[in-house]
Structure formats: structure tokens, C-alpha cells
Amino acid sequence: MRILMALLALGALLWSEAALACSCINQPRSGFIHADLERLPSNARGALFLVPRRHQGTVAPDSFSITSDRDDGRLPAQVTWPRFDDNDGAYPSVARVGPAGGFKPGARYTIRYTGEPAIGMRTSTQFTIDATPLAPGPIALAMDGAPTRTMLPMRAGASCSDIEAVVVGNFHYELPDSYAPYRSIVMYQSQSRTPGAAYEPIEYASSFCERRKLGVTARDDGRDLVHASCTAPPALLQVRGRAGLLEVEDDLQPTEPVTLDLANAAGAACDPAGMLREALASDDAERIRSVVCGFPIHLRGKKLASEALTAPSALLALVKREQPPPRTCIARSAARIVAQTGEPPDDLGRFLAEDFASGDEQRIGAADQVASGIARELNRRELPIAVRQQRVEAFWQPMLPAIAGVVIDGKDRNADQLAWILGEHGQHSQAYVPALIAASRRPALSARPALIALTRLIPQDQSLRVLLRHAARQPVLLETAAVQFAKVATPAERPEVNRLLAKAIDAGSRDALFAVARDGEPSNAAVPALLRRLQRELPDGQTYGVFSALLHVWQGEPEIATALSTVLLYDGMTHLHLYLELVAKAGATARPLAPTLRLLLTRPLPDVERQAAEQALKVITR
């Protein structure tokens, strides 16, 4: 399932503008590895903690607070060092934290990290100790069928991820029954080699942006894979693994190796079109699923082999199979072929219209993501603009009635996003305006999508103003009314809109904060509400929206300078580098914050935050 989800997520990545340049920020992480565990066996020795890199493999017991429902006060902590991989002897990264006197069966424990701020992971964990111990036993590897040729998303340079043709061998770990209650926190490490060579870690990732928990296999739950070149795979490949529950055990247990015969992998094709043709001919449901979901949807200027292309209708017909691939995979692979061949996209639109009309939130959400990606693919720049527009409209038109139905009903969690789509196709959506007006009069949150759509369809109409003012009187619709009104307001209406935004900010609206931050003609009318909001949110360190809004409307007021400085220097602030990037973007406007940044730079900071602070200071003092 993890590989399938990676393939589905990759579709969104490859169809996004961000995919054209890899810009992932993978900070070193630290914190409790299994923070959401609920129980541990009676012979557990502690919870696992990923040590911050700056600690160089050490962490003091007094950096942790341990309490339980069976003891009064804080318990003395003990830190031990299980061995996760071959490097742990010289540079340990996994600490095990528990009470110095051991755990008591039946007690519930809370362990908190109280040292320097952790990054990207939880700093506390709670669990109950079972009455029985874990009995470690032998662990084995087992292959899941014969190796096959397929398409996989892989790490790639400038684009973070790309589809490659590979030979894949799937395998899983077989654990003794005693591990069953704790299976979700078992840690794994897989290795492979060609005969006679040294073993190397198997570290499959679908993208440079993918980050998995330490010790988790590619497919979760102990299911992993190994891959090799499709055109020149090694004849034999040996795979071995290590697995265990490091909350109890001091080392992962090794398995016996298994041998894969990659030279006899199913299929002969190593190109996407050929693989798809072979998979469809094989009638193998799992192979079809793998190839269809791995089919490359953006080739960066390259083309599929035209003589081997499968007809889009054959792909759309897969939905009728007893074990069909996911509809999203079918639609994306068919779209790739439609985009290259120039075939009419109407059938593809009708296929997705069934999802929008299904009433199933998950299907509707998936169809929304897929349809938006397909529209971008059909709008490729190498085509004449008139042809692009015609094909995109022909694609969307069969879906609009079903999309309008979701927006008018207003109850689906995807309705807000679909309202934007409906508004983008004003020429074909005007027929729905009367029903949208009726829906927007409801004194309920389900009126929100209709208001969003109408803001795009009739932006200058006076009836829209009447509807927005009516909605603003309903507490549940105040945020929507204020934000949508801000998008269409005339200069004469700005004071009214600013008052509504201030009310929405006081009521807790995040969208209103960003509406203020995006205002092309910033006004300080919302400043009192922004300062009140900052005072409420600062203790939790989640003030990015209000910080952005205050920075945008700042016109030199001392109280705003003080507020911005307070945020930057606040001890509990997380993701500080993002705030500093906003300061840098403000340029000379933020020059009064220079003393604050200089003071910040006297503190011990992670590298990413120090670099951001230095860059911001350089920019604002030019």
C-alpha cells in the first residue's frame, strides 16, 4: 500500500509547477521515534528517542522527565543505546529512555524531552506496560512472487522524482506471534548484494522529498522491495534483513539471506508503453495495477513510443475488471496517452464525472486532484493556445454538472475547492448561478461553497454584495463573507471589508489573516485585532499567519515592531526560518527589526535558522 500511495502522490507532484525544480528542505529530525505507541511489554527498557545531530550521539538523562500513574513525582531517567545499524558504534543516533528502576506492569508512563528544541518529531510519549514480556524469536524473509518489470517513482535530480523502468523483487518479514501486539513499532533494515560483493542498505524512496520514519520498510508493516536496472539486471541478487523491537532488544536480529533470480523477471519491455501493453495482455491483476499506477504522466519533453500505445478506451475499460486498478491511476495513465495522441478528452471527462457524482468524499477528492493535473497536462505550452483552451474546456465540460451539484449541496469536504473550479469556467457555469444564489442564502456552513463560486462568477454584481453582507451576519459564515468580499471590493467598499476582516480575525479566522497579508492596498484597520490575536496564539508558537499579516500592514508603528520582535525572540517558536524568510521578503520595510535579528544571532540556533537570520539581516540592512 505504501508504494501505491507513493505512486498516487507522485502524480500530484509531477503535475505541479514545483516539480520542475527540486526544492525539498529535509532538516535533521529529532524526537521520540514511536511517539504514538500505546503499550510496551513488561521487559521493555525504554522509549526510543532520535538524538539531535548537534548532540553528536549523546543525550543526558536529565534531559527527560518521566512520570507514571503509580508513582509520586518525577522518576530518575536512564539512557541506554541499542544498536540500530552498523554505524551506531561510532555515532549512535537512537537512544532508549526509561526509568532507572525499570517499568512496572500495568502502570501508564509519560516521558517528556525537556532539552534543546527537537525538530519535526514529538517531544513526549505515553504508554502502558503490559503484564507479559516479549519473547524474541527467529525472524525470516519471504519473497512475494517472482520478480517483475514495472515502473517505479524514483529519486531524480532537478525534479526530485521521476518514473524509471526497473526489475522489482517484493519481499516481507515473517515475525513470531509474540511480536503481533507491537508490530507497528518493529524496526527493520534491509540489505542486498550481488554474489561475492558486500551487502549494502536497501533505501528505496520515491522522491528526494520522501521522508519515512527510521526503521520503516518501503511498503510499511514489514513489506519491502529491492529493484535493479530493467535493461541489465544482475542474474542473481541476495537479500537479507535485520528486524526487532529495540524498546526491548539491544540489537536487530539478522535473517538468513534469500536469493532472487532477476534475469527471469516477467516481461521483456523496458519502456512505459511496452510495459503497459504486456501487463494488459498478461491478465495479472497485480501486474496491471503496478504498471498502470506507475505509468509516467509527465515525460519532460520526451514522448512515449507511439507504435506501442494502448488506446485510452482500453485503459478506461479496466474499471470493469473484477480487481481493477484505482480509478485515479486509470485516469492519469489514459490522460498521458490522450495528451500525446491528441485524441478528444471528452471520454476522460465523462469517466471522472462519475466520481464527482458518486457522493463518496474520498472518490470526489481523488477525482478533483486528478482532474486538475490532467487539465495542466492538456494545457502543455507546445500546443497553440487556442487548441489548448479548446481541449481543456472539452475535458471539463462533462464534469461541470456533477461538480455544480457538489458545490450547491455544500456538505462535501471537497466542495470549497470545486467551487473554485466551477468559477473558472464561467462561460459554461452561468446556468448554475440561480441555484448557487439560493444555496448561498442558507444560514449554515453549507452555503460557503456557493458564496465562493459566486464571487468568481458574478464578481461585480450587486446581488453578490447583498448575499455577502447577509452571510456576514451569520457567525458561521463571517469568515467566508469577509474573505470573499475582500476579493471583489471596490475602493469605496474597503473600509467595510476591513471591519469584517477584523471581526473575523477576532473570531479566530486564519483565512482572514492571509486576506490581510495579500491585500494590495494594506490598511492598518485590522491592527488591533491582529495584536489581540497574536497575544492569544503566541504561547503555542503558531503565529505564522498573524505575523505575516502584521508585517504586511506595518507602516512603522512601534507597537507592531514590538510585536514582530516578540515573535522572533519567543523561546517556544517552531519553524523560525519561515518567519525569517518573510522578514527578508519585506526588505527595507523591516529594517527596524535589525537589532532583533542581531540579538537572535547571539543565541544557539540550528544551522537552517542561523542561515535564514543572517540572510534576513543582510537583506534588510542593504
Side-chain angles (χ1 to χ4, degrees):
M1 179 57 72
R2 185 177 185 88
I3 292 296
L4 175 60
M5 294 309 293
L7 290 166
L8 297 179
L10 182 69
L13 174 66
L14 291 180
W15 264 327
S16 71
E17 292 297 323
L20 300 179
C22 189
S23 58
C24 305
I25 300 175
N26 287 331
Q27 298 182 48
R29 294 185 294 178
S30 59
F32 284 101
I33 297 172
H34 302 137
D36 53 355
L37 62 85
E38 286 295 324
R39 53 196 292 207
L40 284 175
S42 62
N43 55 343
R45 297 164 63 190
L48 299 184
F49 184 83
L50 187 61
V51 177
R53 181 178 295 176
R54 59 185 178 274
H55 286 192
Q56 295 296 309
T58 62
V59 65
D62 61 8
S63 296
F64 298 91
S65 166
I66 303 178
T67 57
S68 89
D69 60 359
R70 301 284 181 87
D71 297 280
D72 295 326
R74 182 169 167 171
L75 301 173
Q78 174 177 283
V79 176
T80 53
W81 300 90
R83 184 171 176 269
F84 174 70
D85 63 28
D86 295 336
N87 295 322
D88 277 355
Y91 184 68
S93 58
V94 179
R96 184 169 53 201
V97 185
F103 291 115
K104 297 177 182 178
R108 185 162 182 81
Y109 289 83
T110 299
I111 305 180
R112 301 182 188 279
Y113 174 63
T114 58
E116 293 182 28
I119 302 174
M121 297 172 70
R122 296 249 302 272
T123 56
S124 66
T125 181
Q126 288 185 313
F127 50 87
T128 300
I129 300 298
D130 289 341
T132 55
L134 173 76
I139 295 173
L141 286 185
M143 299 307 302
D144 296 325
T148 59
R149 284 178 166 81
T150 189
M151 307 298 299
L152 271 185
M154 305 281 284
R155 289 172 175 162
S159 60
C160 292
S161 182
D162 205 352
I163 295 286
E164 291 186 19
V166 292
V167 175
V168 170
N170 297 298
F171 60 93
H172 68 273
Y173 287 79
E174 294 183 338
L175 305 175
D177 291 343
S178 58
Y179 286 85
Y182 318 106
R183 191 177 182 97
S184 65
I185 58 172
V186 170
M187 300 182 77
Y188 306 88
Q189 189 179 67
S190 303
Q191 300 172 321
S192 68
R193 71 172 183 181
T194 54
Y199 277 104
E200 296 183 355
I202 297 173
E203 296 180 339
Y204 169 75
S206 62
S207 166
F208 280 118
C209 297
E210 179 181 340
R211 301 198 70 178
R212 290 203 296 269
K213 283 184 178 181
L214 189 69
V216 173
T217 52
R219 294 191 176 190
D220 283 338
D221 198 30
R223 297 165 61 240
D224 214 340
L225 66 86
V226 63
H227 60 82
S229 164
C230 182
T231 54
L236 297 176
L237 194 70
Q238 292 179 323
V239 177
R240 72 178 185 184
R242 300 170 64 240
L245 194 73
L246 291 182
E247 282 83 353
V248 175
E249 303 169 85
D250 284 329
D251 201 351
L252 299 179
Q253 298 184 51
T255 71
E256 291 296 320
V258 295
T259 301
L260 286 72
D261 183 2
L262 298 183
N264 290 318
C270 283
D271 65 284
M275 281 187 174
L276 182 59
R277 186 184 66 251
E278 287 182 353
L280 295 180
S282 73
D283 205 37
D284 181 328
E286 185 54 40
R287 187 175 171 194
I288 291 171
R289 179 191 188 97
S290 176
V291 174
V292 170
C293 286
F295 199 71
I297 46 187
H298 186 70
L299 298 182
R300 292 172 179 58
K302 297 181 287 185
K303 289 192 174 183
L304 300 166
S306 298
E307 67 277 4
L309 283 177
T310 302
S313 57
L315 283 166
L316 299 180
L318 288 174
V319 74
K320 299 175 183 177
R321 292 179 59 90
E322 184 176 340
Q323 294 180 290
R327 292 177 64 93
T328 51
C329 294
I330 293 172
R332 284 179 175 137
S333 54
R336 173 62 261 180
I337 296 173
V338 166
Q340 177 167 321
T341 61
E343 292 193 26
D346 312 45
D347 287 344
L348 196 51
R350 281 186 279 273
F351 179 84
L352 289 168
E354 295 175 12
D355 295 314
F356 285 119
S358 67
D360 182 321
E361 283 194 350
Q362 189 169 355
R363 278 183 67 181
I364 292 170
D368 171 29
Q369 184 183 51
V370 171
S372 297
I374 291 173
R376 286 191 290 273
E377 180 66 11
L378 294 174
N379 200 22
R380 292 176 300 146
R381 290 186 178 89
E382 60 264 30
L383 296 174
I385 188 168
V387 174
R388 288 155 48 187
Q389 291 175 344
Q390 183 180 14
R391 287 173 63 73
V392 170
E393 288 298 327
F395 169 66
W396 280 112
Q397 216 168 333
M399 293 179 272
L400 292 180
I403 289 173
V406 176
V407 174
I408 290 166
D409 178 69
K411 296 175 184 175
D412 190 282
R413 61 189 171 97
N414 306 288
D416 286 1
Q417 172 60 25
L418 296 183
W420 282 94
I421 293 173
L422 197 65
E424 286 178 356
H425 300 277
Q427 179 183 353
H428 303 289
S429 300
Q430 290 297 323
Y432 308 114
V433 167
L436 289 167
I437 289 175
S440 69
R441 293 193 177 110
R442 290 193 293 254
L445 195 58
S446 60
R448 173 185 167 94
L451 288 167
I452 293 171
L454 289 170
T455 302
R456 308 202 76 185
L457 291 172
I458 53 171
Q460 303 307 320
D461 199 296
Q462 284 304 309
S463 63
L464 174 64
R465 271 79 180 153
V466 173
L467 292 168
L468 291 172
R469 291 180 178 115
H470 172 75
R473 292 193 288 272
Q474 316 293 327
V476 74
L477 292 173
L478 170 61
E479 175 186 59
T480 302
V483 172
Q484 297 307 311
F485 205 165
K487 294 173 182 176
V488 298
T490 64
E493 292 168 334
R494 290 306 308 181
E496 178 183 6
V497 168
N498 289 333
R499 288 193 296 272
L500 290 177
L501 288 171
K503 286 180 63 177
I505 289 168
D506 272 333
S509 166
R510 189 156 297 276
D511 285 352
L513 291 175
F514 290 109
V516 171
R518 289 191 301 263
D519 189 354
E521 299 179 6
S523 163
N524 61 6
V527 167
L530 290 171
L531 294 174
R532 289 192 293 271
R533 179 71 167 270
L534 178 65
Q535 190 173 10
R536 293 200 304 270
E537 293 188 346
L538 190 59
D540 294 327
Q542 303 296 322
T543 57
Y544 184 84
V546 69
F547 184 90
S548 176
L550 280 169
L551 193 58
H552 185 69
V553 302
W554 188 23
Q555 297 174 13
E557 297 91 341
E559 65 270 26
I560 296 183
T562 300
L564 296 173
S565 296
T566 301
V567 172
L568 293 173
L569 297 173
Y570 188 65
D571 285 339
M573 191 55 55
T574 58
H575 305 298
L576 179 60
H577 64 285
L578 299 178
Y579 293 76
L580 293 166
E581 288 171 5
L582 287 178
V583 173
K585 288 178 182 178
T589 302
R591 186 169 293 153
L593 294 177
T596 300
L597 296 184
R598 292 190 182 99
L599 177 59
L600 184 64
L601 285 166
T602 65
R603 298 179 172 183
L605 296 172
D607 289 345
V608 66
E609 293 180 357
R610 178 166 296 279
Q611 291 168 8
E614 290 172 347
Q615 178 63 18
L617 183 60
K618 179 180 178 181
V619 170
I620 68 175
T621 56
R622 280 177 183 161

